[in-house]
């Protein structure tokens, strides 16, 4: 684990030699991060002591549970029942497991789990250790509501409390990691009524967040 | 730095960077939101599909259950024998001849106050159009016309070959439609959008016209009418739902009886016959093969062209000829019975193996009884009767039952025929299909494509197979074809290509699982035979919703159905939960919950993903399972007077029960006697995991007989068990806009705002 709280993805957990090895390697990761930061995922202790055997076993259980979750999400898109999914569904799977990477990060992840010669399909054996790592390290956390609000406010510097339809379209399709036309239309249909021309973003955010829960 | 201009640029740059970052943030968040929606949509789809196929498996199991009973159950009393016999017989219908058939409908009077459509034969195109319009206005066709139309339809179908041929030389375009399943709105929409059938506009309807939807009768009437009016351009293929056994379970039988009451039974009988005469496939320009299900690695189009399709009354019940006859006839074709006899029936407690299916024929004793011993004397006296198959097969069944039950047979075994040998074999040939023939038909009506190479048994449906890209390739090559169009499977977009675009699935019943669940589609073929697909969704309400709202609605339907299924297995679930509750704490982990549920329901669903919507009473990571089960029960039950464990069993088996009741209620009166009810339960409980005493059954029977007249109104009884379905349909009724559509505008075509957008999809 690096000091700025990122991991270089190719350390640990990616040898893909089987779940058990993956688990041990992950525990190894946890151990390392424990040593550096004094605590690991889920464990509240601030002490710098290395984890005991029982704590490692608990982590294993946690990890096993995470891996079952990953398998379930993967299987939803494994239409051919042969432990592969179309690479275009990987983003959906990762995001539905609670992560929120941007497109650039997603492309990097895909590169990690693809075959050397990309086949258009991702195999579960390659996907599992990478995804487990991500979940254990709690990478790509979702954005808190307040941050999201601030982002909208950046686009609305005069603080009117809303964005016009044209403004939103311009930002979403020209800035950042642009939306496709389909994405834009769908966002608009949820954000504003057919007559309206303004998105009151505070309300919009609240509505979407309620939907999630 | 320092000049105004560059500071301004600096700030501008910073602002741009901030805007960029803000945009990324918003986009990132939004994409995650959409991904979660997509996951929910996919999960919902899985729920519906797995439950649908589980239901189909049930049907097959039911068939096996009855066959097993016939073979193994020893009736201990005269009344039990009668009961068993009656389960397999249809009422003997008067002698089958053309004259008789005419008098079916001629004797029926159409009252003066009848306001529905009138039909006169021969039908003209205007009549067919008027019929569509009448149905759009929610009118009902009188039984007399129904029977007349069925009579004419049968006459027409009998002349058709098993594989219809269409050419784009005659019709410029050919439109192929998939499953309609009683959804008249979709049919009306297709005609509105694509145009009515005409000599220039050919149509092929690829099976599954009936069941599930509420207007199956009307759809059949329209389809048959157009077929009579444009016999060269309008074609129908048989689907696996054009089958009276399947109709018993999936709603068509009920619909007919509810709409036509006293005439319903006759209509159903005629229909059983008409269904058997439907062609099996259609070939366009000798290049595009259209059939309902799919193919197998054994599919033989030549054999399919030659067999007598009318012999295959139901793909669910196979009465085939004796082994040696079949061998002689097939001249070395591979035998199918290698697996027969070694599978133990699923419902015996010790066997948890694959259900017996149309593929794996269980060891019926049919071949022992055979034709020579079980032919009623009437056949021998009337050679014309030989060509009417449907009722004969039922008669044979009756005879077999009688034999099993120990009644004296009409003929001794091995008694020689009165006829000469040619007529003998003709009689034998005409009576029953060979096993190979039957299997060929089951394959094309039930199979599904899969992505992997090869061909394996379709265990999900219990019939037909899964066929891989190599099977498709080989078949297309063998018969010099370029495309296989099939239906049979619901697809979210109404269509789907597979096998390198050599197989096209087309499904025309939109909103099949629930309002908003899927689009419907049809495909057009021009002279170049390039498929051009048109999608639609015949419900305006969903169009106004956002994707999230649409998905939520469909999801709620699915979850409701799933919760019902969970309730139905409460006892088994409790057992599994207890197993995982080592310290008897009353708590289990959510992980254990998921594993337990899957081990009971076997639906292969992503339980951990669904958990938040199925379990809202967990504290931390643990669940109090007993109270969760109680909550489930509270949701489903409203009758307190029936023992809840009994109700649960009833609920779990309600589709089976409905089917059984309808079989018992052979005159379709809607009533069965208390005694019949008790006997049904006794049969059931003797072969299922049910500990219920005779007293318990009696109490149950008495409590259901509300007016104490010794009869149980089937519908009232089933109402008690169909509580959740009732509330489901009430919830969905408000979504349906068509109720407000009957404004009686009285013109064709219907106006635009009653329908919804259509997307054109280029090939």
């Amino acid at each position: 684990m690096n000091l700025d709280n990122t991991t270089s993805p190719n350390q640990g957990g990616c040898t893909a030699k089987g779940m058990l090895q993956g688990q041990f390697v992950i525990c190894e990761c946890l151990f390392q991060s424990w040593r550096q930061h004094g605590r690991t995922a889920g464990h509240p202790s601030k002490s710098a002591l290395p984890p005991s055997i029982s704590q490692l076993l608990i982590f294993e259980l946690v990890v096993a549970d995470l891996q079952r979750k990953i398998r379930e999400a993967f299987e939803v898109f494994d239409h051919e029942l042969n432990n592969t999914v179309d690479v275009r569904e990987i983003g959906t799977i990762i995001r539905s497991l609670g992560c929120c990477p941007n497109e650039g990060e997603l492309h990097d992840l895909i590169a990690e789990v693809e075959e050397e010669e990309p086949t258009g399909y991702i195999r579960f054996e390659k996907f599992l250790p990478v995804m487990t790592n991500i979940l254990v390290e709690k990478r790509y956390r979702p954005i808190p509501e307040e941050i999201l609000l601030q982002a909208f406010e950046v686009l609305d510097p005069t603080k009117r409390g809303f964005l016009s339809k044209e403004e939103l379209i311009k930002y979403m399709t020209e800035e950042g990691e642009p939306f496709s036309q389909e994405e834009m239309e769908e966002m608009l249909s949820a954000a504003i009524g057919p007559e309206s021309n303004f998105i009151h973003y505070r309300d919009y955010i609240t509505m979407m967040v309620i939907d999630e829960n | 730095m320092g000049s105004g201009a560059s500071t301004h640029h600096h700030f501008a740059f910073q602002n741009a960077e901030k805007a960029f970052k803000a945009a990324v943030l918003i986009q990132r968040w939004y994409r995650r939101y959409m991904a979660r929606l997509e996951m929910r949509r996919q999960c919902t789809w899985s729920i519906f599909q797995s439950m649908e196929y589980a239901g189909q498996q049930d049907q097959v199991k039911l068939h096996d259950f009855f066959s097993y009973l016939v073979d193994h159950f020893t009736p201990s009393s005269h009344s039990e024998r009668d009961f068993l016999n009656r389960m397999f017989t249809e009422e003997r219908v008067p002698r089958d001849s053309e004259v008789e058939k005419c008098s079916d409908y001629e004797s029926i009077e159409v009252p003066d106050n009848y306001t529905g459509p009138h039909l006169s034969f021969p039908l003209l195109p205007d009549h067919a159009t008027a019929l569509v319009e009448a149905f759009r206005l929610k009118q009902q066709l009188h039984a007399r016309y129904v029977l007349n139309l069925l009579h004419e339809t049968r006459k027409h179908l009998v002349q058709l070959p098993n594989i219809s041929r269409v050419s784009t030389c005659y019709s410029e375009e050919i439109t192929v439609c998939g499953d309609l399943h009683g959804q008249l709105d979709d049919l009306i929409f297709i005609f509105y959008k694509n145009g009515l059938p005409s000599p220039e506009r050919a149509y092929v309807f690829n099976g599954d016209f009936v069941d599930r939807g509420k207007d199956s009768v009307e759809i059949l009437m329209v389809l048959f009418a157009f077929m009579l009016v444009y016999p060269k351009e309008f074609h129908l293929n048989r689907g696996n739902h054009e089958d009276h056994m399947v109709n018993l379970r999936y709603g068509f039988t009920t619909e007919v009886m509810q709409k036509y009451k006293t005439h319903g039974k006759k209509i159903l009988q005629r229909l059983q016959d008409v269904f058997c005469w439907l062609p099996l496939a259609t070939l366009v320009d000798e290049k595009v093969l259209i059939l309902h299900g799919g193919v197998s690695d054994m599919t033989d189009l030549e054999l399919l062209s030659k067999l007598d399709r009318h012999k295959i009354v139901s793909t669910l019940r196979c009465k085939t000829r004796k082994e040696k006859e079949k061998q002689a006839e097939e001249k070395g074709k591979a035998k199918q019975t290698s697996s027969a006899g070694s599978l133990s029936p699923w419902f015996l407690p010790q066997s948890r193996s694959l259900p017996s299916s149309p593929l794996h024929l269980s060891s019926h004793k049919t071949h022992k009884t055979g034709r020579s011993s079980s032919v009623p004397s009437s056949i021998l006296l009337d050679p014309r009767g030989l060509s009417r198959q449907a009722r004969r097969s039922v008669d044979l069944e009756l005879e077999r039952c009688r034999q099993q039950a120990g009644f004296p047979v009409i003929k001794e075994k091995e008694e020689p025929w009165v006829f000469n040998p040619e007529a003998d074999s003709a009689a034998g040939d005409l009576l029953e299909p060979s096993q190979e023939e039957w299997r060929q038909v089951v394959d094309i009506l039930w199979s599904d494509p899969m992505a992997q190479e090869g061909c394996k048994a379709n265990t999900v449906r219990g019939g037909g197979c899964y066929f891989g890209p190599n099977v498709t390739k080989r078949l297309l090559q063998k018969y010099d074809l370029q495309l296989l169009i099939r239906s049979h499977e619901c697809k979210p977009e109404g269509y789907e290509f597979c096998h390198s675009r050599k197989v096209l699935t087309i499904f025309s019943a939109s909103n099949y699982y629930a309002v908003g669940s899927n689009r419907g589609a049809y495909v057009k073929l021009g002279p170049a035979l390039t498929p051009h697909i048109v999608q639609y969704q015949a419900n305006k309400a969903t169009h106004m919703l956002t994707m999230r709202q649409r998905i939520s609605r469909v999801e709620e339907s699915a979850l409701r159905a799933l919760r019902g299924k969970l309730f139905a297995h409460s006892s088994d679930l409790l057992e599994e939960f207890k197993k995982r509750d080592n310290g008897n704490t009353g708590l289990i982990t959510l992980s254990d919950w998921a594993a337990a549920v899957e081990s009971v329901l076997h639906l292969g669903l992503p339980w951990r993903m669904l958990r938040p919507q199925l379990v809202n009473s967990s504290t931390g990571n643990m669940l109090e399972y007993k109270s969760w089960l109680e909550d489930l029960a509270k949701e489903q039950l409203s009758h307190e007077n029936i023992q809840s464990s009994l109700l649960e069993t009833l609920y779990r088996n309600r589709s089976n029960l409905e089917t059984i009741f309808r079989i018992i209620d052979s005159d379709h009166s809607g009533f069965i006697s208390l005694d019949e009810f008790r006997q049904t339960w006794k049969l059931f409980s003797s072969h299922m995991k049910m500990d219920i005493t005779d007293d318990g059954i009696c109490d149950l029977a008495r409590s259901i007989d509300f007016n104490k007249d010794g009869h149980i109104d089937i519908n009232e009884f089933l109402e008690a068990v169909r509580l959740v379905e009732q509330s489901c349909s009430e919830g969905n009724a408000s979504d349906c806009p068509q109720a407000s559509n009957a404004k009686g505008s009285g013109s064709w075509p219907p106006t635009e705002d009653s329908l919804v957008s259509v997307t054109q999809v280029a090939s």
Side-chain angles (χ1 to χ4, degrees):
Chain A
M1 184 160 264
N2 304 325
L3 279 171
D4 62 344
N5 238 355
T6 60
T7 38
S8 314
N10 284 317
Q11 289 170 4
C14 303
T15 50
K17 258 174 107 175
M19 244 176 79
L20 200 57
Q21 173 149 357
Q23 281 187 18
F24 279 121
V25 175
I26 284 154
C27 289
E28 177 77 10
C29 279
L30 293 173
F31 186 78
Q32 305 286 7
S33 81
W34 177 287
R35 282 208 304 193
Q36 292 203 5
H37 298 274
R39 56 189 167 140
T40 63
H43 202 283
S45 163
K46 289 214 189 327
S47 120
L49 288 174
S52 67
I53 294 295
S54 59
Q55 281 159 344
L56 277 175
L57 285 172
I58 290 173
F59 298 149
E60 257 200 57
L61 286 174
V62 166
V63 162
D65 203 45
L66 284 178
Q67 293 192 319
R68 275 189 287 262
K69 275 207 182 96
I70 295 170
R71 178 169 261 294
E72 242 190 24
F74 192 90
E75 279 176 356
V76 171
F77 290 95
D78 177 14
H79 301 299
E80 306 174 15
L81 302 173
N82 59 359
N83 291 322
T84 66
V85 301
D86 192 313
V87 65
R88 292 166 290 186
E89 315 271 29
I90 287 291
T92 308
I93 297 172
I94 293 177
R95 285 168 171 139
S96 70
L97 285 166
C99 302
C100 198
N102 61 37
E103 294 289 288
E105 290 163 332
L106 189 60
H107 282 131
D108 292 340
L109 280 173
I110 289 177
E112 245 184 276
V113 295
E114 261 182 334
E115 311 291 325
E116 278 85 44
E117 302 273 338
T119 59
Y121 286 95
I122 305 296
R123 289 186 300 120
F124 183 65
E125 300 82 55
K126 284 202 96 164
F127 181 70
L128 180 66
V130 174
M131 195 66 223
T132 312
N133 243 354
I134 292 171
L135 288 183
V136 159
E137 296 170 9
K138 304 203 174 192
R139 282 152 64 187
Y140 313 123
R141 299 308 288 148
I143 305 156
E145 226 178 298
E146 313 80 63
I147 307 288
L148 195 55
L149 190 58
Q150 281 174 32
F152 273 101
E153 283 173 350
V154 162
L155 302 180
D156 174 28
T158 53
K159 308 276 180 286
R160 297 161 297 174
F162 60 82
L163 288 173
S164 78
K165 191 165 135 187
E166 290 70 36
E167 281 171 336
L168 186 67
I169 292 177
K170 184 178 91 125
Y171 280 121
M172 292 293 104
T173 58
E174 292 174 23
E175 295 282 354
E177 294 172 326
F179 275 168
S180 67
Q181 196 189 353
E182 218 184 301
E183 285 175 308
M184 193 67 247
E185 275 169 17
E186 188 49 49
M187 184 184 200
L188 284 173
S189 76
I192 53 175
E195 309 302 312
S196 166
N197 248 331
F198 302 103
I199 295 100
H200 297 270
Y201 45 83
R202 200 178 272 272
D203 294 335
Y204 176 56
I205 293 171
T206 315
M207 176 186 83
M208 301 278 269
V209 166
I210 287 176
D211 273 354
E212 297 251 299
N213 310 328
Chain B
M1 296 284 270
S3 78
S6 56
T7 319
H8 175 75
H9 282 149
H10 180 65
F11 282 134
F13 178 73
Q14 271 195 331
N15 284 338
E17 206 189 321
K18 273 171 76 178
F20 184 93
K21 282 194 172 148
V24 173
L25 213 65
I26 294 170
Q27 286 152 345
R28 183 178 136 201
W29 162 80
Y30 182 77
R31 282 172 171 136
R32 174 169 177 259
Y33 176 82
M34 292 307 289
R36 296 185 69 182
L37 267 190
E38 172 60 19
M39 181 56 96
R40 279 166 66 189
R41 194 197 62 76
Q42 190 65 38
C43 284
T44 302
W45 192 262
S46 304
I47 293 175
F48 278 129
Q49 273 212 314
S50 66
M51 289 182 68
E52 175 181 26
Y53 294 152
Q56 285 187 342
Q57 285 174 11
D58 273 354
Q59 179 70 356
V60 175
K61 286 180 187 173
L62 194 65
H63 148 60
D64 288 342
F65 173 64
F66 278 122
S67 307
Y68 180 79
L69 281 183
V70 169
D71 289 343
H72 294 100
F73 187 75
T74 321
S76 57
S77 73
H78 181 75
S79 60
E80 276 184 357
R81 270 188 231 127
D82 277 347
F83 180 67
L84 205 47
N85 287 342
R86 252 177 308 124
M87 276 212 266
F88 283 94
T89 350
E90 310 241 332
E91 207 181 87
R92 266 172 167 270
V93 181
R95 307 281 277 99
D96 185 24
S97 68
E98 293 300 318
V99 175
E100 220 94 67
K101 284 236 178 101
C102 278
S103 71
D104 271 352
Y105 58 84
E106 271 172 17
S107 59
I108 302 176
E109 291 260 333
V110 179
D112 291 329
N113 59 2
Y114 170 72
T115 52
H118 295 267
L119 291 182
S120 62
F121 294 83
L123 275 184
L124 296 173
D126 282 346
H127 296 146
T129 311
L131 199 58
V132 182
E133 182 57 17
F135 290 152
R136 194 180 71 83
L137 298 172
K138 312 271 185 254
Q139 293 169 9
Q140 183 172 305
L141 186 64
H142 194 272
R144 182 208 169 97
Y145 298 129
V146 172
L147 288 166
N148 201 348
L149 182 55
L150 290 178
H151 174 69
E152 296 297 318
T153 301
R154 185 188 190 277
K155 264 176 23 191
H156 169 74
L157 288 176
V158 164
Q159 307 160 42
L160 297 181
N162 293 348
I163 301 182
S164 311
R165 278 166 157 87
V166 194
S167 168
T168 51
C169 295
Y170 301 119
S171 318
E172 286 150 18
E173 58 173 44
I174 297 172
T175 305
V176 183
C177 303
D179 295 25
L180 285 169
H181 282 302
Q183 297 187 186
L184 185 62
D185 295 338
D186 287 306
L187 180 59
I188 290 180
F189 178 81
I190 294 171
F191 284 161
Y192 163 66
K193 182 70 195 172
N194 195 46
L196 290 167
S198 72
E200 294 78 40
R201 195 176 292 115
Y203 272 93
V204 178
F205 281 86
N206 200 12
D208 277 11
F209 320 122
V210 301
D211 278 331
R212 295 173 172 271
K214 60 179 179 57
D215 296 316
S216 301
V217 176
E218 283 70 32
I219 286 192
L220 282 182
M221 295 297 104
V222 169
L223 294 180
F224 291 156
F226 276 113
M227 188 175 64
L228 292 175
V229 166
Y230 296 116
K232 292 207 183 60
E233 295 84 13
F234 199 90
H235 302 269
L236 302 177
N237 290 338
R238 189 177 184 184
N240 60 308
H241 277 258
E242 275 68 58
D243 181 326
H244 71 285
M245 290 292 289
V246 178
N247 298 150
L248 280 169
R249 168 182 284 271
Y250 286 104
F252 181 49
T253 310
T254 316
E255 183 191 324
V256 172
M257 292 311 298
Q258 274 173 0
K259 285 179 177 170
Y260 288 100
K261 305 195 170 30
T262 44
H263 298 297
K265 185 160 160 65
K266 195 168 281 179
I267 292 175
L268 286 170
Q269 280 170 348
R270 294 286 169 266
L271 273 168
Q272 182 182 329
D273 198 29
V274 165
F275 283 163
C276 304
W277 277 113
L278 286 169
L280 300 172
T282 302
L283 201 50
V284 178
D285 289 352
E286 305 294 317
K287 285 285 171 202
V288 178
L289 180 61
I290 308 172
L291 40 79
H292 178 73
V295 296
S296 77
D297 51 0
M298 303 288 286
T299 293
D300 180 346
L301 290 183
E302 278 120 15
L303 201 154
L304 280 167
S305 313
K306 287 198 284 237
L307 60 84
D308 184 351
R309 67 183 189 269
H310 190 225
K311 288 187 292 198
I312 293 155
V313 177
S314 164
T315 49
L316 284 187
R317 277 162 71 185
C318 171
K319 300 166 287 299
T320 58
R321 288 180 251 173
K322 294 199 292 203
E323 283 298 287
K324 63 173 184 177
E325 287 173 311
K326 181 182 66 94
Q327 273 176 324
E329 195 241 9
E330 283 182 5
K331 297 186 193 102
K333 273 215 176 108
K335 284 208 311 187
Q336 303 298 324
T337 49
S338 51
S339 51
S342 53
L343 289 175
S344 61
W346 61 273
F347 39 76
L348 295 184
Q350 62 270 18
S351 73
R352 289 262 174 220
S353 52
L354 291 176
S356 209
S357 72
L359 254 191
H360 315 284
L361 299 173
S362 44
S363 54
H364 288 278
K365 299 212 167 65
T366 41
H367 52 276
K368 284 200 191 138
T369 54
R371 59 182 171 92
S372 55
S373 55
S374 58
V375 174
S377 48
S378 49
I379 274 192
L380 302 178
L381 299 175
D382 177 21
R384 282 179 304 169
L386 288 173
S387 65
R388 281 28 169 203
Q389 306 317 318
R391 273 175 289 284
R392 291 301 166 242
S393 62
V394 165
D395 285 346
L396 285 171
E397 191 81 338
L398 167 63
E399 280 311 302
R400 198 159 56 77
C401 288
R402 287 183 181 278
Q403 270 199 19
Q404 293 289 325
F407 282 147
V409 296
I410 294 176
K411 288 272 172 217
E412 288 301 314
K413 287 181 232 183
E414 310 310 325
E415 170 162 331
W417 286 71
V418 174
F419 282 174
N420 58 48
E422 278 98 49
D424 258 337
S425 54
D429 285 340
L430 290 170
L431 285 172
E432 287 164 339
S434 75
Q435 207 158 313
E436 175 62 21
E437 288 171 343
W438 182 79
R439 197 215 168 186
Q440 289 277 338
V441 176
V442 169
D443 280 347
I444 62 170
L445 258 38
W446 285 82
S447 300
D448 293 313
M450 65 173 173
Q452 293 113 309
E453 306 273 305
C455 188
K456 58 184 189 184
N458 192 329
T459 49
V460 170
R461 296 203 191 251
C465 67
Y466 286 121
F467 62 99
N470 56 331
V471 176
T472 302
K473 189 166 167 193
R474 209 173 337 125
L475 186 104
L476 294 182
Q477 262 171 9
K478 181 174 176 191
Y479 296 108
D480 196 25
L481 305 168
Q482 71 188 44
L483 176 65
L484 175 67
I485 299 181
R486 44 89 64 177
S487 305
H488 196 40
E489 280 182 300
C490 183
K491 297 290 177 191
E493 293 297 313
Y495 78 100
E496 190 174 273
F497 281 102
C498 66
H499 294 188
S500 310
R501 291 182 80 91
K502 295 265 195 300
V503 175
L504 168 62
T505 302
I506 196 87
F507 194 85
S508 301
S510 66
N511 303 322
Y512 177 59
Y513 290 126
V515 171
S517 67
N518 64 290
R519 290 182 160 141
Y522 56 86
V523 59
K524 296 159 71 101
L525 299 169
L529 297 180
T530 327
H532 172 77
I533 296 175
V534 178
Q535 297 168 290
Y536 54 86
Q537 199 154 11
N539 187 317
K540 193 165 190 202
T542 51
H543 185 56
M544 299 306 288
L545 301 173
T546 63
M547 192 185 292
R548 174 195 66 79
Q549 287 165 323
R550 246 178 285 142
I551 290 176
S552 291
R553 278 203 191 186
V554 185
E555 194 182 37
E556 196 37 54
S557 293
L559 290 171
R560 224 179 297 149
L562 195 53
R563 263 176 262 152
K565 213 167 168 82
L566 285 167
F567 161 69
H569 290 86
S570 297
S571 317
D572 286 340
L573 284 171
L574 187 60
E575 211 182 295
E576 282 295 318
F577 292 154
K578 283 198 174 129
K579 275 191 209 159
R580 289 151 214 268
D581 178 13
N582 288 327
N584 228 352
T585 57
L587 298 168
I588 49 167
T589 64
L590 292 172
S591 193
D592 281 335
W593 173 88
V597 171
E598 177 58 26
S599 75
V600 170
L601 289 193
H602 299 295
L603 287 174
L605 291 175
W607 296 106
R608 278 170 195 81
M609 306 214 111
L610 298 169
R611 200 255 316 141
Q613 278 138 326
L614 295 170
V615 177
N616 33 29
S617 54
S618 61
T619 46
N621 201 32
M622 307 295 281
L623 168 69
E624 255 193 83
Y625 49 88
K626 279 205 187 113
S627 61
W628 177 70
L629 286 170
E630 276 162 15
D631 287 342
L632 265 185
K634 269 189 219 132
E635 229 186 293
Q636 311 288 326
L637 288 173
S638 76
H639 284 203
E640 305 300 326
N641 52 348
I642 305 180
Q643 242 182 48
S644 76
S645 68
L646 206 54
L647 189 62
E648 180 198 315
T649 314
L650 283 177
Y651 196 87
R652 175 166 49 232
N653 292 292
R654 74 189 184 288
S655 321
N656 288 341
L657 281 173
E658 268 182 74
T659 312
I660 291 171
F661 283 162
R662 285 200 208 103
I663 295 174
I664 295 167
D665 176 29
S666 49
D667 60 357
H668 297 285
S669 64
F671 291 98
I672 56 170
S673 73
L674 283 179
D675 201 51
E676 285 168 335
F677 175 75
R678 269 202 303 273
Q679 301 215 16
T680 311
W681 271 103
K682 208 173 148 202
L683 277 176
F684 236 55
S685 59
S686 72
H687 289 288
M688 290 189 167
K689 267 196 301 182
M690 271 177 56
D691 25 281
I692 177 168
T693 61
D694 273 349
D695 282 346
I697 299 177
C698 284
D699 285 343
L700 181 62
R702 270 194 291 270
S703 70
I704 290 166
D705 177 19
F706 296 126
N707 56 5
K708 307 292 172 241
D709 67 347
H711 278 91
I712 293 174
D713 179 333
I714 292 178
N715 294 319
E716 271 184 8
F717 173 75
L718 292 172
E719 279 304 300
V721 197
R722 264 187 272 131
L723 305 166
V724 173
E725 280 181 0
Q726 213 180 15
S727 67
C728 265
S729 61
E730 271 163 19
N732 284 337
S734 54
D735 293 340
C736 178
Q738 301 308 320
S740 60
N741 211 18
K743 290 189 187 110
S745 51
S747 63
W748 179 269
T751 51
E752 179 74 53
D753 54 341
S754 66
L755 303 156
V756 105
S757 67
V758 160
T759 40
Q760 302 264 344
V761 177
S763 56

